[in-house]
Amino acid sequence: MVKLGRTIKLRLYLDTIQAGEFLAMTQEYQRLANIVSQWVFDHDFPLSWLKINNHLYKKFRQESALNSQMVQSVFRTVVARYKTVQEQMKQHAYRYKATDNKWIQIPRDLTWLEKPIYFRRPQADLVRQSNYSFVNGMTQISITTLGKRTKLAFTNKGFEDYFQGDWKLGTGKLVHNQGKWFLHIGITKDITDFDKGNSPQIVGIDRGVRFLATAYDHLGKTTFFDGQKILLRRKKFLENRRRLQSKGSKSAKKKLKQLAQRENRWMADVNHRLAKTLVALYGSHTVFVLEDLTNVTFNTEDLPKSSRNSHRSWAFFQLEAFLTYKAQAVQSAVVKVSPAYTSQRCPKCGLIVKTNRHHDTHEYWCVQCQYRCNDDRLGAMNIEMLGHEWLSGVKRPKIQKLTTTG
């Protein structure tokens, strides 16, 4: 069994008094979180809730109006944030070019931080039953504020199904955004894990910009997901961004921030819909094979200037994350393989020659066996081939370079 996770977002409806109570409570939570963050930074990053609790709990209980459970939630919130940053630093090592023009990578950890993590927004993590609960036949929600609890109305539009069945509600995060209040609740459900011993189908997926995804399945069928409309809209975003940047005024900077948020929401929606379509198309018991793009720098020299920005900044990792959890929900899996030579290897004779791929015509043409096909399809074919190697027991499938078949 494996736990499937989701987040539901409930809109809360507060009166003026309740809004003031919520703001005071979340500001106090934010204040304590920054004190804890400073303490963690000053004491060599002890990421243990118990250690922080032993040193700061009594002090906070004497000084703060937050109840016992919420003080301990503050500790967990800070620890979780530092662990997230720690993992991000592990994944992105410090890189520099040495005198011999070789790239050197140095692992990073929390000691690289120059200052403690700062919590910029008022917030609060609420434990179910202790800090929030549903009352009056699920028509209201009761939430702890400073020294008391208050009841208010909410809407769960779009999330009704998650309040039924086997979903378990966990900690909720109180969020204040553009004058509105929301409660984001993490929920989990136990589902049957993916079983690779039962002959799953394998689908190789090549991610790109001209085609957002090119999928090649075990039957030899290729499905292209066109990205031309996406490119045009991204170009408009880029033009608007450059226009605002050239002004440099305070209002322009504000509009730049709003534009970035709107673009991010749009990109997330595109990736959500693409991941949902892939899972619906291939169904359960499928191995979706992707290239592992961690620490990969995209070469855009062969691309036209109008496409370089989109290629560098498209959210490839976001699509991977969305596909991973959507596949898990239907007992499928996402596997990552090495990207080395996936766009250069001939699937017929195995020859690897970089110049066989022609970016101007988006075609692959093998000089040895004369095999020709679309270059995005070729990448998906090679990725699908590596998926079969993973299924046969190879832990890290990778194409070995072959320059001639002899």
Side-chain angles (χ1 to χ4, degrees):
M1 301 295 287
V2 64
K3 282 191 180 296
L4 183 65
R6 292 286 188 275
T7 299
I8 58 176
K9 302 176 182 180
L10 308 183
R11 169 79 184 278
L12 307 179
Y13 297 99
L14 295 71
D15 58 32
T16 304
I17 295 176
Q18 290 172 324
E21 293 171 346
F22 273 35
L23 186 59
M25 184 260 287
T26 55
Q27 287 176 338
E28 176 64 4
Y29 196 101
Q30 175 196 22
R31 184 182 74 87
L32 295 188
N34 283 320
I35 293 174
V36 176
S37 181
Q38 183 69 59
W39 186 89
V40 169
F41 183 81
D42 293 338
H43 292 80
D44 298 325
F45 309 102
L47 301 186
S48 164
W49 163 81
L50 187 58
K51 287 183 180 179
I52 299 173
N53 186 74
N54 289 339
H55 284 84
L56 298 177
Y57 176 76
K58 289 184 179 180
K59 176 184 176 182
F60 283 2
R61 290 294 289 135
Q62 292 171 356
E63 298 177 354
S64 176
L66 288 184
N67 66 22
S68 173
Q69 181 65 65
M70 293 193 71
V71 167
Q72 294 180 16
S73 290
V74 170
F75 302 151
R76 291 189 174 93
T77 296
V78 176
V79 168
R81 181 72 65 84
Y82 270 97
K83 286 184 176 179
T84 298
V85 172
Q86 184 181 53
E87 186 61 31
Q88 290 172 342
M89 296 180 88
K90 283 182 180 178
Q91 293 177 1
H92 302 283
Y94 175 70
R95 299 174 72 242
Y96 69 93
K97 188 174 286 188
T99 54
D100 58 357
N101 284 331
K102 289 185 178 180
W103 283 98
I104 305 297
Q105 288 197 161
I106 301 177
R108 296 194 300 166
D109 56 26
L110 292 175
T111 60
W112 284 63
L113 292 178
E114 297 180 355
K115 57 184 178 180
I117 294 172
Y118 183 70
F119 292 80
R120 300 183 180 279
R121 293 185 178 182
Q123 66 175 83
D125 287 346
L126 308 177
V127 176
R128 193 187 177 201
Q129 304 302 351
S130 296
N131 303 132
Y132 83 91
S133 58
F134 295 97
V135 295
N136 299 331
M138 293 288 291
T139 60
Q140 288 186 306
I141 187 169
S142 173
I143 294 180
T144 300
T145 58
L146 296 180
K148 65 175 185 178
R149 291 180 71 102
T150 185
K151 296 178 183 178
L152 57 146
F154 70 96
T155 178
N156 61 349
K157 186 177 181 181
F159 300 105
E160 299 90 345
D161 293 343
Y162 294 112
F163 286 88
Q164 304 170 5
D166 301 326
W167 291 98
K168 296 179 181 178
L169 278 66
T171 298
K173 181 178 288 292
L174 197 59
V175 177
H176 188 213
N177 186 21
Q178 297 182 348
K180 300 175 182 178
W181 289 90
F182 300 87
L183 186 64
H184 297 183
I185 303 176
I187 59 175
T188 58
K189 179 181 181 180
D190 291 328
I191 61 171
T192 304
D193 201 359
F194 170 76
D195 179 15
K196 71 175 186 179
N198 196 21
S199 302
Q201 64 172 328
I202 296 176
V203 178
I205 300 175
D206 180 63
R207 289 167 286 178
V209 175
R210 192 172 68 98
F211 292 111
L212 295 181
T214 303
Y216 181 84
D217 63 24
H218 66 295
L219 298 176
K221 181 180 178 180
T222 307
T223 305
F224 296 92
F225 296 88
D226 191 15
Q228 294 302 316
K229 291 183 180 179
I230 307 299
L231 279 173
L232 290 175
R233 187 163 181 183
R234 295 218 69 200
K235 185 178 179 181
K236 290 181 180 179
F237 274 116
L238 180 60
E239 290 171 352
N240 288 335
R241 192 158 53 244
R242 286 173 175 169
R243 177 176 53 81
L244 291 170
Q245 287 170 342
S246 65
K247 291 184 177 181
S249 63
K250 187 175 181 180
S251 61
K253 291 179 181 178
K254 182 179 179 180
K255 289 182 179 179
L256 266 173
K257 184 177 180 180
Q258 294 173 343
L259 182 69
Q261 292 172 343
R262 185 160 68 249
E263 185 175 11
N264 287 338
R265 290 194 298 270
W266 167 73
M267 289 173 65
D269 181 63
V270 170
N271 280 323
H272 262 303
R273 287 187 283 115
L274 178 55
K276 184 177 180 180
T277 300
L278 285 167
V279 171
L281 179 63
Y282 295 104
S284 62
H285 208 53
T286 299
V287 178
F288 296 99
V289 190
L290 304 175
E291 293 171 304
D292 186 356
L293 300 179
T294 306
N295 295 324
V296 172
T297 301
F298 293 103
N299 180 15
T300 58
E301 294 178 358
D302 295 328
L303 298 176
K305 289 185 178 180
S306 59
S307 302
R308 292 178 185 178
N309 178 73
S310 294
H311 202 85
R312 290 192 193 101
S313 58
W314 184 252
F316 293 110
F317 295 98
Q318 189 182 67
L319 174 60
E320 177 185 311
F322 291 166
L323 182 61
T324 298
Y325 83 76
K326 290 180 187 294
Q328 188 182 54
V330 295
Q331 287 78 52
S332 292
V334 170
V335 171
K336 295 191 291 185
V337 298
S338 172
Y341 309 119
T342 54
S343 62
Q344 301 175 25
R345 175 186 175 273
C346 175
K348 297 300 180 182
C349 69
L351 181 70
I352 296 175
V353 176
K354 186 176 182 180
T355 53
N356 279 351
R357 185 183 184 186
H358 304 281
H359 291 279
D360 52 343
T361 59
H362 302 291
E363 185 181 38
Y364 182 90
W365 190 347
C366 180
V367 295
Q368 181 164 266
C369 70
Q370 303 302 307
Y371 176 74
R372 298 174 68 174
C373 77
N374 172 274
D375 56 356
D376 294 296
R377 180 176 186 267
L378 175 105
M381 292 174 70
N382 283 320
I383 293 168
E384 191 261 354
M385 181 270 294
L386 291 175
H388 284 281
E389 291 189 9
W390 175 83
L391 197 62
S392 66
V394 180
K395 291 184 178 180
R396 295 181 179 84
K398 180 179 180 180
I399 294 174
Q400 302 299 323
K401 187 167 185 180
L402 177 66
T403 57
T404 178
T405 58

